Amino acid sequence: MKRRIITYLVLIIVYLILAIPFKGLTIIPGFSDIRPVTLLGPIYALFFGVPGCSIFALMNLVMDAFSGGLMWSSIAGLIANFIGPFLILLYWTKYSKTTLHLKKPGNILHFSLTLIIVAVIQAAIITPCVALLYPDVDWKLFFASVVFNTAVFPILFSTPLILLLREKLGFKQIGYVDPAVK
Amino acid sequence: MPIILLVKTKSNDIIRGMNSFQANLCLLCVTLCWSTEVIIFSVIPDSVSPFATTCITSLVGALLIFLIFRKRIIDEVSGNPKKILLRCLLLGIMNCAYNLLYLFGLKYFDVSSGAFTFSMTAVVIPVILLTMRQKVDLKTWLSAGFVFIGILLAIAPTASVGQTMGIIFVGLGCIIRAVYIVILNKYANENDPVTLSSLLSGIVSILSVGLWFAFDPSGFGKIPWNDQIIASLAIYSFVIVAFAQTLNIFAQKKSTPANATIIYSTEIIFSTIWGVMLPASMIDKTPLTLWIILGVVMVVIGNLITIIPSHRELQDES
């Protein structure tokens, strides 16, 4: 139990370290900014399961609260930021016929495609709420910024980070079986 | 408690290593991180010494890695402290030397030409490897050839006699960097990459203090501390020093120095993209001439030859 609490605290600290410095890079004031921290979504899901997804979603809400961006649409943000990483976890541990080994270009493209689809789903959850509650906001720009944040940073940085954690630092990726061993 | 202890796993059961394709992808990610340096530092005034930023970010990066992997680093260093410290000192001195030469050399070039000349390391390294009697395969020569043609296409139309000193500085810097990469590759295979990364950052930080006060004695007080500068330094420390450098050393274990350097040359591609796409308030705009486009295309071809594994390579590694 103590080990688990320490792990969750570390996940929270890592999130804050990556989120706080970028808080000033705004796309739509109060609504959207450049968030490289989104790269942690797939990592938290694939290495720490449902608790990882929950921490990721809750920390997004906490950051909204502390940066003055807490609005009714943040609830949609909370749901989307849980569902996104959870879908990645669900797909790669239950439904995909291949394991997420990232050893071949095809597997990396497959992973990138799931990240893009999940990003679109997340944007589709948050954008209608923002559009309904705040009609002044340019919903097209908002949708694009959510897709950009949620797809581009994970695609660029998650793959090397997963490799680093799994292959070199000894972290256990949920559902991973080395194809060479299988 | 180091993060690695938080996960219930026997590391030996998990660590099976990257294949060369994965290592190349990691190196590509490292280069992408490095290329953002100009964007991250765009909020820092020119009056702040580059050695000051190197000193601060290297120190924060070194401490961050040390705090996370304290036990692992202490275990590694306690084995043979003199050997690993001397190795990191050598790497640190070389790192500072080539960065200093690049800094002097850059004064003779505009931003885009400067970025292209840095990539001469990719061309120098096969020659350095040959002089060290190491085998260089045909694929590497082909890649280096394309990168070299790319560099010539991009800088030749604007080159002038007045840039001779700049070429000498950058050329010397490239030779030192090439030797640095060869040595780093060797040490990455013999030592723990996390320890190397942390100690190397710490030593670079100490060396940069000296250079900082030698070139800009006004020191710490001259930095106009504000939220943006603190954020930039923090981002640089986390992303470029702690993450990219550690990932680089891990990837070097599976890659060859020649492959790594060719992939580093993609920094030109990323820099050109930033220079064209980002606003002038964030970055010095790059004039997109036909020669630069052709140069970038050649560098892309050179890299594709290196990065994409052949069917045979994939079969060998699986």
Side-chain angles (χ1 to χ4, degrees):
Chain A
M1 188 64 188
K2 188 182 165 192
R3 183 189 289 267
R4 200 172 287 176
I5 292 170
I6 294 171
T7 305
Y8 297 158
L9 281 174
V10 171
L11 293 184
I12 291 169
I13 292 167
V14 169
Y15 188 101
L16 290 174
I17 284 176
L18 207 58
I20 292 170
F22 287 92
K23 235 6 203 167
L25 302 174
T26 305
I27 300 173
I28 305 171
F31 286 91
S32 184
D33 42 25
I34 294 176
R35 294 187 181 194
V37 74
T38 54
L39 74 93
L40 293 179
I43 306 287
Y44 280 17
L46 291 166
F47 286 90
F48 303 98
V50 175
C53 302
S54 310
I55 289 172
F56 182 76
L58 284 170
M59 288 311 294
N60 184 70
L61 189 73
V62 170
M63 283 305 293
D64 277 352
F66 280 98
S67 62
L70 192 64
M71 302 173 182
W72 287 111
S73 58
S74 299
I75 296 169
L78 175 73
I79 296 166
N81 280 296
F82 175 81
I83 287 178
F86 182 69
L87 284 177
I88 293 168
L89 174 69
L90 201 64
Y91 179 75
W92 284 106
T93 53
K94 301 273 183 207
Y95 295 107
S96 174
K97 285 176 185 168
T98 54
T99 184
L100 182 65
H101 54 72
L102 302 170
K103 287 183 190 291
K104 294 180 181 175
N107 194 256
I108 291 173
L109 283 177
H110 187 175
F111 180 51
S112 302
L113 191 66
T114 55
L115 293 174
I116 292 168
I117 292 169
V118 163
V120 173
I121 293 171
Q122 283 186 248
I125 293 171
I126 311 172
T127 310
C129 299
V130 171
L132 282 172
L133 294 167
Y134 310 99
D136 294 342
V137 174
D138 180 350
W139 68 268
K140 287 175 198 158
L141 178 63
F142 182 82
F143 184 88
S145 73
V146 175
V147 173
F148 173 84
N149 269 326
T150 327
V152 172
F153 292 113
I155 287 173
L156 292 177
F157 296 106
S158 287
T159 300
L161 205 54
I162 289 171
L163 292 174
L164 190 65
L165 292 172
R166 187 183 73 203
E167 307 286 353
K168 298 294 177 185
L169 298 177
F171 281 74
K172 188 167 168 48
Q173 181 186 321
I174 297 168
Y176 173 70
V177 181
D178 192 326
V181 175
K182 197 163 64 172
Chain B
M1 182 187 286
I3 291 179
I4 197 152
L5 295 180
L6 305 177
V7 183
K8 281 182 183 173
T9 174
K10 290 178 183 174
S11 59
N12 286 339
D13 291 342
I14 299 297
I15 298 176
R16 302 193 191 284
M18 298 178 187
N19 61 28
S20 59
F21 171 66
Q22 291 172 320
N24 288 342
L25 270 187
C26 288
L27 289 171
L28 198 61
C29 177
V30 168
T31 314
L32 173 67
C33 290
W34 285 345
S35 74
T36 59
E37 180 177 327
V38 280
I39 306 167
I40 296 171
F41 279 167
S42 62
V43 295
I44 298 179
D46 292 340
S47 57
V48 176
S49 162
F51 301 114
T53 49
T54 306
C55 169
I56 295 165
T57 53
S58 297
L59 182 65
V60 176
L63 288 175
L64 196 68
I65 302 170
F66 182 76
L67 284 174
I68 298 172
F69 300 103
R70 196 173 65 244
K71 188 175 180 299
R72 185 173 173 156
I73 293 169
I74 291 170
D75 284 350
E76 173 79 6
V77 174
S78 58
N80 191 345
K82 194 177 168 189
K83 188 179 173 187
I84 195 163
L85 281 171
L86 280 175
R87 286 183 164 191
C88 289
L89 182 65
L90 173 67
L91 289 172
I93 291 170
M94 292 176 86
N95 185 302
C96 286
Y98 75 71
N99 275 316
L100 202 62
L101 285 164
Y102 282 171
L103 201 70
F104 291 138
L106 248 191
K107 291 177 183 165
Y108 296 85
F109 299 100
D110 60 56
V111 178
S112 73
S113 302
F116 273 92
T117 51
F118 287 173
S119 297
M120 283 299 287
T121 314
V123 184
V124 171
I125 209 154
V127 182
I128 298 268
L129 287 171
L130 268 190
T131 59
M132 294 171 129
R133 297 185 178 180
Q134 290 189 27
K135 196 184 164 195
V136 181
D137 59 22
L138 180 66
K139 206 172 158 180
T140 305
W141 282 114
L142 261 178
S143 293
F146 275 105
V147 173
F148 185 51
I149 294 168
I151 294 167
L152 286 183
L153 283 173
I155 63 170
T158 54
S160 65
V161 181
Q163 291 173 331
T164 310
M165 278 311 290
I167 291 170
I168 292 172
F169 280 132
V170 175
L172 276 173
C174 287
I175 293 170
I176 294 174
R177 191 176 177 211
V179 178
Y180 169 88
I181 292 166
V182 174
I183 295 175
L184 180 68
N185 190 275
K186 180 175 178 280
Y187 291 170
N189 281 292
E190 294 173 6
N191 294 100
D192 173 42
V194 171
T195 310
L196 271 183
S197 181
S198 178
L199 289 179
L200 178 59
S201 300
I203 286 170
V204 166
S205 173
I206 293 166
L207 293 173
S208 301
V209 176
L211 292 167
W212 179 6
F213 285 95
F215 284 92
D216 183 21
S218 61
F220 217 70
K222 204 174 176 182
I223 301 175
W225 294 101
N226 59 43
D227 288 353
Q228 273 195 320
I229 287 180
I230 293 169
S232 300
L233 293 175
I235 293 165
Y236 193 94
S237 308
F238 306 155
V239 178
I240 296 181
V241 180
F243 172 65
Q245 184 172 274
T246 308
L247 185 64
N248 179 35
I249 299 176
F250 269 120
Q252 286 263 0
K253 277 182 97 136
K254 191 64 195 178
S255 188
T256 63
N259 267 14
T261 321
I262 285 164
I263 295 168
Y264 294 157
S265 69
T266 51
E267 194 166 352
I268 297 169
I269 303 164
F270 297 127
S271 301
T272 308
I273 294 170
W274 307 142
V276 171
M277 290 179 66
L278 293 175
S281 57
M282 286 182 81
I283 195 166
D284 290 326
K285 297 291 281 182
T286 306
L288 199 60
T289 62
L290 178 66
W291 294 112
I292 287 181
I293 295 171
L294 285 174
V296 167
V297 169
M298 289 293 160
V299 174
V300 171
I301 295 171
N303 272 276
L304 288 178
I305 294 172
T306 293
I307 294 171
I308 296 179
S310 64
H311 188 61
R312 193 177 162 186
E313 281 172 327
L314 279 173
Q315 275 187 331
D316 286 349
E317 286 188 316
S318 66

